[in-house]
Amino acid sequence: MTHARGGAADRPTGPTNHDLPGTGVPEGALEPAELRAGDVRPGPEETTTAPARKETSGKARPTRISGTWVAVIAGLLVLVVLLIFILQNLDPATVRFFGAEGSLPLAIAMLFSAIGGAALVALIGGARILQLRKQARRVRR
């Protein structure tokens, strides 16, 4: 970004060429280009160069694909732990819900209740997201 320089704050406080005796520069002569008011050339602090590529220290940056693989592996580990839990808790349990009654393995009953809770949270969260999107559309108009 360039800007006009040369205000009183930008001028040197020491003597300039035309202030020194015997320099042959008459009083009121033009100052060097670096000191003129209205100079819009970028100074050394303003010059920008293209950023150099960072040297990699052998460590690759994570990508979306690698994140997906990490999620798949984590999901498989949770699935294995869940399967072990189900196989170790096959004792029958009587479940009553809104007048209905049935018997099924304890782990399966717990799995159904967890799935029901997750579905309820997803339903409420989805409704809230739709509400916020609708509100954002109104604000944009």
Side-chain angles (χ1 to χ4, degrees), residues 86-95 102-110:
I86 289 172
L87 291 175
Q88 289 180 348
N89 291 287
L90 291 176
D91 299 332
T94 303
V95 179
S103 179
L104 66 154
L106 177 63
I108 301 298
M110 292 176 72

Side-chain angles (χ1 to χ4, degrees), residues 115-132:
I115 290 172
L120 184 64
V121 167
L123 183 68
I124 293 171
R128 179 66 177 151
I129 288 172
L130 290 175
Q131 182 184 32
L132 291 173

Side-chain angles (χ1 to χ4, degrees), residues 4-55:
R5 294 183 298 166
D10 291 339
R11 303 230 177 205
T13 56
T16 60
N17 287 345
H18 59 275
D19 292 336
L20 298 175
T23 57
V25 178
E27 187 70 32
L30 290 176
E31 297 175 333
E34 297 84 25
L35 302 177
R36 280 198 309 256
D39 187 13
V40 292
R41 289 179 289 169
E45 72 280 353
E46 295 175 315
T47 54
T48 57
T49 58
R53 283 189 82 126
K54 292 184 179 180
E55 295 283 330

Side-chain angles (χ1 to χ4, degrees), residues 132-141:
L132 291 173
R133 284 183 181 172
K134 188 175 181 180
Q135 182 180 1
R137 255 187 259 123
R138 273 193 226 129
V139 169
R140 273 187 258 143
R141 290 180 187 181

Side-chain angles (χ1 to χ4, degrees), residues 65-75:
I65 299 294
S66 65
T68 303
W69 277 111
V70 168
V72 166
I73 292 170

